Amino acid sequence: MEASPATATPAVPRWLPAGAALAAAGWGANQFTPLAAVHRTQEQWHPVLVAVLFTAYLPGLLPGLLLGGPAADRFGRRRVVRAALLLSAAASALPTAAASSPAAVCAGRLATGVAAGFALSAGTRWLRELCAAAGRSGAGERRAACATGAGLAGGALAAGMLAEWLPAPTVLPCLVHAALALLALAATACAPETTGGTAGAPLRLGGWCRRTVGHPRFVWVVLPASPAVFGAATVAYVVLPPLVADEVPGYAPLFSGVVAALTLSRWASSRSRWRCGCTTPARRGPRWPAWSPSSAGCWSARWPRTGSRWRWCWWRRCCWGPGTG
C-alpha cells in the first residue's frame, strides 16, 4: 500500500539543509589550519604572524556565538543562517584577491569568525527544532554535532589535500569553500522556518548579555573550561605539527590537515555518542546556547544541578582534551 501524500516521507529530510549550513560554517572556520603551514613554509611568513592570523577569527567568533541566538529569535533561524553563509563565502573569497597580503587574510579570518559564530549558534537551534518538528527531538543535538564536526574535520583535511597536491595552495581551498557555502545557501532557500521571529520587538542585547555573562553556569563552567579545552585542541593541530615538520618534509599542509581532522573527528565522535554513565537525562540541566570548537559549550549544556561525581566526570573529560575517550 502506498503512503498517502500527508504521511509520505520527503525525499530530502527537512533538517539536511540546516546540517549542510553547519558543515559549511565549520569547514570555513577550520580550513586555515593547513593553509597556515603553506604561509609558514612556502610564503616564509613569520611564525608569530601566522599565529596571529590563526587566532584572528576568535574576536569575531565569540560575539557571533553569543549574539547568534538573540538574532535568530529576532529575525528567524533561516534568515540569520543564510546571512552567515553569505558572509562566510565572502570571507573565503576575500583572501583569494590578495593571498599574499596578511591584512587581507586577517580580514577574511575575522569575517569567518563572525560568520561561523552566527551560523553555528542559529543553525544548531534551527536543526534541533526541525528534528523536533519531524518527531525526532532526541536526534537534533546528535545531528548538529555530527554536521559541525564533519565540517571542522573535513574542511581541514580537504584544504590540506588541495594545498598539498594542487596549484595555488592559498587560493584554491578558499574558492572551494566559497562554492560550498553558496551551495548550502541555495539549499537553505526552500528549507522551512521554525520561528517567524519577532519583527516588531526591539533587539535588547544589553539585558540578554548581562543575564548570559552573569549566569552561574557561564561563570563557573564555560569560562574556566573553555581555555583548557580549546587550548588542548589548538596545541594538537597548531603548535605540534610545526615542531615535527622536519619529519615529514614536503608534506606540511597535508600533515597539518590530517592532524586537525583526527583531533576534531574524535571530538565529533565523542560528542555524538556521548555517554557518561553518571547521570540520567532527567537530571541534566537546561540547554545552554554556547559553543566552542572544543565543545566547552556543548559540555556545559550537560552540567547538572546536583551530583559531585558527575562534575568530576565532566571536568576530567573537558580538561584532558577532546582526544580522550
Side-chain angles (χ1 to χ4, degrees):
M1 179 181 299
E2 296 184 357
S4 62
T7 60
T9 303
V12 178
R14 293 185 174 182
W15 60 268
L16 195 58
L22 289 174
W27 183 303
N30 213 40
Q31 69 174 348
F32 185 77
T33 301
L35 300 186
V38 177
H39 291 304
R40 186 178 59 252
T41 58
Q42 299 183 19
E43 302 290 338
Q44 301 300 320
W45 287 8
H46 195 278
V48 175
L49 175 61
V50 175
V52 170
L53 294 175
F54 183 86
T55 57
Y57 85 113
L58 287 176
L61 177 69
L62 298 180
L65 291 173
L66 290 175
L67 302 179
D73 294 337
R74 172 67 171 77
F75 302 106
R77 305 336 187 193
R78 185 179 64 178
R79 184 178 298 180
V80 172
V81 170
R82 285 173 57 81
L85 287 174
L86 187 60
L87 178 60
S88 182
S92 289
L94 176 62
T96 63
S100 60
S101 171
V105 175
C106 183
R109 290 288 292 162
L110 182 62
T112 296
V114 175
F118 276 91
L120 294 174
S121 182
T124 299
R125 291 188 177 192
W126 189 22
L127 191 149
R128 189 167 58 232
E129 291 169 358
L130 288 172
C131 291
R136 297 292 303 275
S137 58
E141 291 187 4
R142 183 180 68 252
R143 289 170 177 171
C146 288
T148 304
L152 291 170
L157 182 60
M161 292 188 295
L162 292 172
E164 185 66 47
W165 289 312
L166 293 180
T170 60
V171 173
L172 186 59
C174 296
L175 292 179
V176 170
H177 170 256
L180 290 176
L182 292 178
L183 287 176
L185 180 66
T188 56
C190 299
E193 176 63 273
T194 56
T195 177
T198 54
L203 187 60
R204 302 182 184 276
L205 297 178
W208 186 90
C209 289
R210 285 193 297 270
R211 291 194 303 270
T212 301
V213 175
H215 195 284
R217 185 177 298 168
F218 185 87
V219 173
W220 298 106
V221 179
V222 176
L223 285 182
S226 293
V229 179
F230 182 80
T234 303
V235 167
Y237 61 80
V238 177
V239 178
L240 296 182
L243 299 180
V244 296
D246 294 339
E247 303 296 330
V248 286
Y251 294 96
L254 179 62
F255 179 72
S256 181
V258 169
V259 172
L262 291 175
T263 303
L264 294 167
S265 61
R266 181 65 186 90
W267 166 80
S269 175
S270 62
R271 177 68 183 90
S272 62
R273 296 182 292 106
W274 180 77
R275 297 290 185 273
C276 180
C278 300
T279 188
T280 60
R283 291 176 58 188
R284 296 173 190 166
R287 304 297 183 221
W288 183 249
W291 184 92
S292 76
S294 296
S295 74
C298 292
W299 287 114
S300 67
R302 309 292 188 176
W303 181 261
R305 296 184 179 90
T306 58
S308 58
R309 181 188 173 195
W310 203 99
R311 292 190 180 94
W312 158 245
C313 191
W314 185 92
W315 275 102
R316 181 185 64 187
R317 298 198 59 159
C318 275
C319 296
W320 289 356
T324 60

